[in-house]
Amino acid sequence: MLYCCFNKSLKTINMQEIKICFEFKGGKGYAYVNLVPTNYGIYKQDFSGCHNFSLAEGDYTVIIDGVSPAGGTTITITGDNLSIQRKINAAGHFSKVIPFTIKKSEL
Amino acid sequence: MIKKILFTALLFSYTLAFAQVEEDPKKQIRDASDLKTGNSQDILPSFYQLALKDLLGKSHNFQFQSSLFAIQAKSDSSIWIDTSYLKKIFARNFAFGINTSVDSNFKFKNNTLNLKYAIINQRDNTVFDYSKYMGKYSEASVKVLGEAIAIYKAENKVLTPEEYDYFDTDKAVAYEKLPADFRLILEKLYKKNDALKDIHPREYKKIMANKYKLTSNMVASRPLWTVDAKFVSNSSNMFSSVNVNTEFLKGMIKKNTAMNIELNAKLSYNFDNDSSFIQRNLNRQVFSGELGFNWIILKSASKDHSLVEFKAAAAMNYIASGIIKNEEPYSITANGTLRFRLTEDFWIPIDIKYDPQNGNVYGFLNVTSNFDWLNKFFNKRK
């Protein structure tokens, strides 16, 4: 019981839910994503959609590399006090490195 | 009645093409379809195609072709999203066309309705999975860069947002803008990685852009096989001809850069009106076959799309029934089409036909626009 409640309080008080979303337009695209420093590992975004992360206070970097389809790709990173958007307008290979910070006051 | 319906449909199609408000996704897909040859766009248009054929001859043709997807996208822009776009297989591969033919005095001759479907369309690079060819480099790149950032951070150093911009493909930042000690870490990690060991981090973006270009060219030369049916109605509102075709196109050189050759084969069966009968009929039946090669003579170095093409083909006709008196059942012709790309949108195809039996050479001057150039003009004036 104690274990359950301690974990729960950690999530709500010390962590923030971050969402990284991709929207591929006009065809097939892909992106490999690495969010550092975390232990989530590298994942592949094959279709439009989102991945959720629980992150504590700190500086983070999202590293993305892939191919945008012909209609472009939109990447959005959102959290409680976070909203970052990057657009790739051309078809072809793309890479992006997006740093962001989660402050203690935001948790 | 049929004439009126076809004419209305033709007018409607023109209006659709010209009234389009150009959206970014479409524009970008146009960029992708620009890689296709003029010959393949004639076989299966990506969006719209307008053509004026036989401009200097005894009759003139006004043609409109469109993919079903282009029409559907008018009312539902959400179908551009990949999860929907990839499911629209039928709409992307189905095209319809309307053709109005007039004589030299611009008097109506006939209308043609054309319905086409691509049974095999492997040259559509909008649905091609590039990760099979480029994914291992992308995966290695994000892994190595993550490790480099972690090592750098362990030394209590961080890159500034301006330095991170080096890795952004949309920004032109010199590799030397990265701190020297970070570059050293990155170069060491590249050498240790199986996928990246032969690549210098300075060259990574350029090499990936080149891999994309080569892969796109490979896709643009893959097989395309279509079937179509044409229904012709004449001035008396009657179906005067029905034509069933199948066409195959495939690039011969996989790793093409400056030029390519495409194999182009076509089979047709025509049901035409036999004029020896008083009543309307489709008794005259003609089988045609054509085998040729489309040579992409010149490509744009910057945009990588073809500028000059020449198609040479041998065609054979066999009149299976309804032969006219003194007419030969077999005939062979040598056909050629020289295509010049004037602008992004305009092609000038010149058809040349040689009849060895009669020793006659015929030439037909055409103008083809694969996209909505008028729309761009109107948008600029808004």
Side-chain angles (χ1 to χ4, degrees):
Chain A
M1 185 65 185
L2 274 173
Y3 177 77
C4 146
C5 296
F6 176 70
N7 264 351
K8 196 178 176 185
S9 64
L10 255 186
K11 266 197 170 181
T12 51
I13 298 169
N14 295 326
M15 308 289 270
Q16 191 179 138
E17 294 291 321
I18 300 292
K19 199 179 263 192
I20 302 178
C21 299
F22 281 79
E23 187 182 76
F24 299 111
K25 271 189 176 177
K28 177 91 185 79
Y30 79 85
Y32 278 92
V33 184
N34 191 3
L35 173 58
V36 290
T38 66
N39 293 322
Y40 282 101
I42 296 161
Y43 71 92
K44 186 186 180 195
Q45 189 78 41
D46 245 333
F47 299 98
S48 295
C50 301
H51 263 70
N52 296 314
F53 303 89
S54 285
L55 301 179
E57 170 200 2
D59 294 317
Y60 295 93
T61 311
V62 185
I63 307 159
I64 304 161
D65 196 289
V67 163
S68 172
T73 301
T74 305
I75 304 158
T76 51
I77 303 169
T78 50
D80 292 344
N81 292 298
L82 189 69
S83 181
I84 300 169
Q85 190 175 76
R86 296 283 186 277
K87 282 189 176 183
I88 298 106
N89 292 318
H93 168 252
F94 73 91
S95 58
K96 295 268 173 203
V97 176
I98 309 167
F100 67 90
T101 302
I102 297 178
K103 292 174 189 163
K104 199 172 186 178
S105 59
E106 291 171 359
L107 298 172
Chain B
M1 186 61 190
I2 292 164
K3 189 172 79 180
K4 282 179 185 168
I5 290 168
L6 284 174
F7 186 75
T8 309
L10 182 68
L11 199 65
F12 175 67
S13 308
Y14 283 179
T15 311
L16 275 174
F18 297 155
Q20 161 90 2
V21 176
E22 191 158 303
E23 294 172 6
D24 276 343
K26 189 178 147 201
K27 186 189 169 298
Q28 298 301 337
I29 290 170
R30 283 188 42 178
D31 293 345
S33 59
D34 281 350
L35 291 173
K36 294 175 185 174
T37 60
N39 188 42
S40 71
Q41 290 278 36
D42 281 357
I43 296 171
L44 189 72
S46 297
F47 288 96
Y48 309 112
Q49 186 188 67
L50 294 168
L52 303 176
K53 295 205 165 178
D54 199 9
L55 290 175
L56 307 175
K58 288 178 182 173
S59 65
H60 315 293
N61 290 303
F62 302 91
Q63 288 185 0
F64 172 81
Q65 280 197 89
S66 171
S67 73
L68 181 61
F69 184 88
I71 303 298
Q72 285 185 352
K74 294 273 178 196
S75 57
D76 183 7
S77 61
S78 70
I79 65 173
W80 291 111
I81 309 292
D82 61 343
T83 43
S84 177
Y85 184 90
L86 297 169
K87 287 177 189 164
K88 299 277 176 187
I89 298 165
F90 181 81
R92 282 188 284 103
N93 290 301
F94 181 81
F96 67 92
I98 300 158
N99 176 3
T100 299
S101 200
V102 294
D103 65 17
S104 55
N105 296 318
F106 289 91
K107 280 188 179 172
F108 175 79
K109 280 176 75 179
N110 58 50
N111 273 326
T112 305
L113 175 68
N114 184 16
L115 304 173
K116 187 178 281 189
Y117 188 74
I119 298 169
I120 295 174
N121 182 6
Q122 292 183 0
R123 57 174 55 201
D124 184 358
N125 62 0
T126 66
V127 297
F128 182 76
D129 186 1
Y130 281 85
S131 71
K132 286 178 185 168
Y133 288 78
M134 298 169 67
K136 68 173 183 178
Y137 302 102
S138 293
E139 187 178 7
S141 168
V142 298
K143 180 176 181 280
V144 161
L145 190 51
E147 285 170 7
I149 290 168
I151 293 168
Y152 204 56
K153 204 172 181 180
E155 295 171 4
N156 289 322
K157 295 174 198 167
V158 285
L159 295 180
T160 64
E162 291 73 28
E163 287 164 344
Y164 275 132
D165 280 349
Y166 167 75
F167 300 99
D168 194 318
T169 34
D170 288 338
K171 290 173 182 163
V173 177
Y175 181 64
E176 285 67 29
K177 291 277 179 191
L178 289 172
D181 48 357
F182 184 82
R183 277 184 276 151
L184 206 63
I185 296 167
L186 198 59
E187 285 162 22
K188 276 183 184 171
L189 290 173
Y190 261 61
K191 278 180 187 164
K192 282 183 187 170
N193 188 283
D194 283 346
L196 303 173
K197 63 186 175 189
D198 297 326
I199 300 172
H200 191 281
R202 187 204 311 268
E203 302 293 322
Y204 177 75
K205 285 192 277 184
K206 195 176 153 187
I207 286 169
M208 289 298 273
N210 199 38
K211 279 187 191 298
Y212 178 80
K213 189 176 161 182
L214 286 172
T215 310
S216 298
N217 280 333
M218 181 272 291
V219 176
S221 68
R222 292 168 88 199
L224 173 67
W225 179 27
T226 63
V227 286
D228 72 273
K230 289 186 178 118
F231 305 92
V232 183
S233 75
N234 58 22
S235 54
S236 52
N237 295 335
M238 299 292 185
F239 275 120
S240 57
S241 173
V242 176
N243 171 252
V244 183
N245 296 293
T246 182
E247 193 158 7
F248 180 77
L249 187 67
K250 189 185 182 309
M252 307 293 284
I253 304 165
K254 270 190 177 178
K255 288 188 177 177
N256 62 89
T257 48
M259 55 78 75
N260 200 353
I261 294 171
E262 293 175 317
L263 171 72
N264 194 173
K266 191 175 176 180
L267 291 174
S268 302
Y269 205 85
N270 294 286
F271 299 86
D272 291 327
N273 186 51
D274 185 347
S275 55
S276 62
F277 290 86
I278 298 166
Q279 285 186 321
R280 179 178 65 91
N281 64 81
L282 295 172
N283 289 350
R284 182 177 159 87
Q285 293 173 18
V286 182
F287 172 76
S288 311
E290 187 182 278
L291 183 67
F293 293 94
N294 186 48
W295 178 24
I296 298 140
I297 301 168
L298 186 64
K299 270 186 170 184
S300 156
S302 57
K303 293 181 178 172
D304 213 39
H305 59 211
S306 68
L307 297 172
V308 182
E309 295 174 22
F310 180 68
K311 187 172 108 175
M316 183 275 293
N317 289 322
Y318 168 66
I319 303 164
S321 69
I323 195 162
I324 301 165
K325 201 177 177 185
N326 298 327
E327 192 178 26
E328 290 290 332
Y330 288 99
S331 64
I332 292 170
T333 57
N335 303 338
T337 305
L338 187 61
R339 285 185 178 81
F340 297 98
R341 190 180 210 141
L342 292 187
T343 67
E344 293 284 314
D345 303 337
F346 275 108
W347 286 88
I348 298 283
I350 301 166
D351 293 331
I352 304 150
K353 192 169 267 190
Y354 172 62
D355 180 354
Q357 282 167 337
N358 302 318
N360 293 328
V361 178
Y362 308 96
F364 306 94
L365 179 65
N366 311 311
V367 177
T368 303
S369 172
N370 282 315
F371 300 109
D372 49 347
W373 52 275
L374 268 183
N375 175 51
K376 273 200 254 175
F377 173 75
F378 286 128
N379 278 350
K380 275 181 191 168
R381 288 165 63 99
K382 278 180 186 173

